Amino acid sequence: MNYFFVLTLTGVAAGMIYAALALALVLVWRATRVVNFAQGAMAMTTTYIALAVIQLTGNYWFGFIVALAAGLLLGAVAERGVVRWVENGPPLNAVILTLGLLLILEAVVPMIWGAQIRSFPAPFSIAAMQVGAAFIPVSPFNLFTVGVVLLVMVALLVLFRFTGLGLSMRAAAFAPEIARLLGVRVGRLLTFGWGLATMAGALAGMLVAPTLLLYPNNMDAILVYGFTAAVLGGLDSPIGALVGGLSMGLALSFIGGYLGPDLETAGALAILIAILMLRPQGLFVHAAERRV
Amino acid sequence: MDVSAIGAAAGSRTGPGALGPGSLEVRSLSVRFGGLVALDDVSLEVPAGEIVGIIGPNGAGKTSLFNVVSGFLRPQAGEILYGGRRINGVRPHELNSLGIARTLQGLGLWRGLTVLENVMVGARRAKRPGFASALLGFSRSDRYEAVLTGLARDQLRLLGIERFADRYPGVLPYGVQKWVSLARALVSRPALLLLDEPASGLTATEIKELADLLRSLRAQMSIALVEHRLDLIMNVCERVHVLDFGRVIASGPPERVQKDKAVTDAYLGEELTPTVVEGEADARG
């Protein structure tokens, strides 16, 4: 098997996870113009909740659904309970607030579940598949990852493009005062937007844990990758998040494969700095205006 | 507040008049920002089925008045009556179901939404499905999207801009964009329409078209018109209120107000109170 081909496939699988987290960041940004630095920690928290449920019931899918539901709830509570109070203040207040949320979650979770590294079950094998005598460097779980993230993307696209609710959400995101005058309950939609975003983050958490294991800051690096992916996609576009996530997955896979795995995080930061210097509006900002 | 009760009460009255459905009356309204007085004991009315102009120099408090009526600003004193019922404390998102539509200065169109979608956001008075069923895409919510689309298309057709339905506002001429923002306000079939400088940026021909449109709307709604273009005001308004430094300095038919000494003074800038700084006055606009 061609080494380049192997790196490409692993890059796509990892990229889908970054895309899911980037999507969470994009949805929050669209709703409230806040970069939620706690997005990773929130995903970690919902994944711990999922693990508790799985251990209790012995059923992975039950835990999966609880994780998504917990994400919806956690996001909504965070917006309504905390972020709402700083929304009209300077942008820095919201940034510091989400950093505070990150610190709180990463402190509270080990108080409840301990700080040790835990293994996490996967619904499908995480071992490479064998076709005849040859191994393909793709596991059934990788296929599941790609499929479920694409499914979420399509569902969101349908929500935003083809429903009255999605139309109101877009209207509320881009001109809240005008939307209000036209009868849109902007506050509710922002809360829902945060819930939806954290649900996407919770999905990323569930997809990360089987291969990278679960511990209180297991999402920190993923947040950096997801954030870079979101910025790459212009921060405003779910499709940009997908393309950005895939680009990050591929780039990091090639950096890790050809230059050494130690350089992955440094590579992500180098890409982030390069984007912010060369094209701070992101690669897909035009697509964001037109299609989202 | 109970929005549906007010809407029903406004609708149940018959015949035009000061307190008829869709009429607006403000009594002794005062708004202050710190020490700055934006509105000072303002009383005026927009009788049902009339077009009433509200004019005055920059910073006279015209937009503040609209902001109070639409719930963006809380008055320190005074009453707002809509269809004879007090609506103090109404919140902006409740206006639509009360039958009040307001446009903002400029266009305020969503650049990322098509013309049709822009208008659809305004078309929300129809019975809407629950949050959950819209989310899960149940059939009632499909029908709801179809109703929204139908209402928006009808409104665009009425204004003769249906052919732009699937375009994005940014690529259209300014006059057409202005028409889109009017369509968005009209699609909810308001009983009271608050227009904030609808003529700004329009050519003379377009202003004539706007005047024709406003006159044709009279049978269906009352209209309050904040405007700098006196040609439009003189052309369509039955009655004009003139604001200056937050006070009503003249009221009456346009031709009489135009000759009023206080009004010409206000517009020519004579006899300005020397203590008021120009910059502060602008900020109130």
Side-chain angles (χ1 to χ4, degrees):
Chain A
M1 182 74 54
N2 185 331
Y3 190 49
F4 175 78
F5 187 57
V6 171
L7 292 179
T8 305
L9 288 178
T10 38
V12 167
M16 288 314 248
I17 297 176
Y18 307 153
L21 198 73
L23 185 66
L25 292 165
V26 164
L27 289 175
V28 161
W29 175 259
R30 274 167 64 103
T32 50
R33 301 281 134 177
V34 171
V35 174
N36 181 11
F37 286 103
Q39 204 74 64
M42 290 164 102
M44 174 275 295
T45 309
T46 56
T47 311
Y48 266 98
I49 293 171
L51 184 62
V53 171
I54 292 169
Q55 283 170 345
L56 203 68
T57 62
N59 184 337
Y60 174 86
W61 295 109
F62 197 59
F64 188 82
I65 289 165
V66 168
L68 298 190
L72 191 67
L73 193 70
L74 183 60
V77 167
E79 195 280 330
R80 193 66 195 83
V82 189
V83 180
R84 180 71 58 92
W85 304 104
V86 298
E87 244 157 42
N88 295 322
L92 194 60
N93 293 13
V95 169
I96 300 300
L97 188 134
T98 65
L99 284 172
L101 209 55
L102 164 84
L103 293 175
I104 289 172
L105 288 173
E106 289 193 353
V108 168
V109 163
M111 283 181 194
I112 302 172
W113 286 290
Q116 70 272 36
I117 297 177
R118 289 157 178 263
S119 66
F120 195 87
F124 305 101
S125 165
I126 56 170
M129 289 191 292
Q130 194 176 6
V131 177
F135 280 96
I136 309 175
V138 174
S139 69
F141 182 70
N142 287 149
L143 293 181
F144 170 71
T145 300
V146 174
V148 76
V149 174
L150 284 179
L151 190 73
V152 166
M153 289 284 176
V154 171
L156 282 174
L157 199 71
V158 169
L159 172 70
F160 282 124
R161 283 249 45 143
F162 300 111
T163 71
L165 177 63
L167 183 62
S168 303
M169 288 181 78
R170 286 190 285 161
F174 289 109
E177 298 297 79
I178 296 168
R180 246 177 220 127
L181 277 177
L182 295 170
V184 176
R185 305 289 305 263
V186 172
R188 281 186 191 181
L189 293 180
L190 300 188
T191 307
F192 179 62
W194 267 71
L196 214 57
T198 311
M199 199 158 88
L203 176 68
M206 291 296 285
L207 296 174
V208 165
T211 44
L212 295 181
L213 307 173
L214 182 60
Y215 47 96
N217 53 354
N218 75 328
M219 294 296 285
D220 287 0
I222 310 291
L223 179 74
V224 174
Y225 303 158
F227 180 62
T228 311
V231 172
L232 193 62
L235 259 181
D236 244 338
S237 154
I239 295 180
L242 178 65
V243 179
L246 282 177
S247 313
M248 277 303 288
L250 289 171
L252 295 184
S253 181
F254 293 139
I255 291 172
Y258 291 119
L259 304 177
D262 293 344
L263 288 174
E264 273 191 23
T265 311
L269 290 170
I271 294 172
L272 180 59
I273 290 166
I275 300 165
L276 290 176
M277 286 198 311
L278 301 175
R279 201 174 155 80
Q281 72 272 40
L283 299 178
F284 300 93
V285 75
H286 187 66
E289 265 182 25
R290 283 301 170 85
R291 296 205 188 87
V292 176
Chain B
M1 81 184 308
D2 189 352
V3 167
S4 57
I6 292 172
S12 68
R13 290 167 197 269
T14 50
L19 298 181
S23 69
L24 174 72
E25 187 185 351
V26 301
R27 289 184 189 154
S28 313
L29 218 52
S30 290
V31 172
R32 285 180 295 273
F33 303 121
L36 194 72
V37 180
L39 293 176
D40 182 11
D41 197 27
V42 167
S43 298
L44 52 80
E45 57 184 52
V46 181
E50 279 195 23
I51 304 179
V52 173
I54 298 165
I55 61 173
N58 279 333
K62 306 183 296 287
T63 299
S64 292
L65 178 67
F66 272 15
N67 280 341
V68 171
V69 173
S70 47
F72 283 120
L73 277 179
R74 290 287 139 102
Q76 273 82 13
E79 276 192 313
I80 308 151
L81 303 171
Y82 168 62
R85 292 281 297 261
R86 195 182 141 102
I87 58 162
N88 286 48
V90 72
R91 290 155 68 195
H93 72 258
E94 294 168 334
L95 295 176
N96 182 290
S97 46
L98 280 173
I100 303 175
R102 179 192 168 182
T103 66
L104 298 172
Q105 279 177 27
L107 293 164
L109 295 175
W110 284 284
R111 295 181 57 208
L113 269 54
T114 65
V115 164
L116 184 70
E117 288 174 329
N118 264 283
V119 178
M120 280 169 71
V121 178
R124 294 177 57 91
R125 290 189 78 193
K127 178 92 183 106
R128 64 191 84 158
F131 202 57
S133 66
L135 196 59
L136 300 171
F138 289 156
S139 62
R140 238 180 89 218
S141 111
D142 284 350
R143 223 166 53 228
Y144 172 66
E145 319 309 336
V147 169
L148 281 186
T149 314
L151 285 171
R153 267 196 197 284
D154 288 348
Q155 190 60 55
L156 289 173
R157 193 176 307 124
L158 276 173
L159 294 189
I161 48 172
E162 201 201 1
R163 64 184 181 284
F164 302 115
D166 297 320
R167 308 283 292 278
Y168 288 88
V171 301
L172 299 173
Y174 190 81
V176 176
Q177 294 190 44
K178 204 86 189 189
W179 246 238
V180 176
S181 71
L182 273 172
R184 191 175 60 182
L186 291 173
V187 70
S188 62
R189 312 259 154 150
L192 172 64
L193 180 61
L194 308 173
L195 294 174
D196 202 342
E197 300 194 6
S200 71
L202 295 186
T203 64
T205 324
E206 287 167 336
I207 290 179
K208 282 206 182 66
E209 285 171 18
L210 179 63
D212 291 341
L213 172 69
L214 295 182
R215 271 194 296 264
S216 75
L217 292 172
R218 275 196 53 191
Q220 302 147 43
M221 62 192 77
S222 357
I223 301 173
L225 188 61
V226 161
E227 189 49 74
H228 279 299
R229 297 291 301 248
L230 288 180
D231 47 346
L232 181 67
I233 294 277
M234 297 301 155
N235 199 339
V236 302
C237 293
E238 276 99 346
R239 186 191 301 234
V240 175
H241 300 288
V242 187
L243 289 182
D244 189 31
F245 292 118
R247 293 180 149 273
V248 179
I249 56 166
S251 291
E255 51 283 359
R256 210 177 71 209
V257 162
Q258 203 174 16
K259 296 194 185 80
D260 192 294
K261 175 79 165 56
V263 176
T264 40
D265 285 352
Y267 267 89
L268 296 175
E270 291 176 12
E271 297 174 10
L272 276 179
T273 320
T275 49
V276 177
V277 181
E278 183 77 13
E280 284 179 342
D282 279 345
R284 287 185 283 161

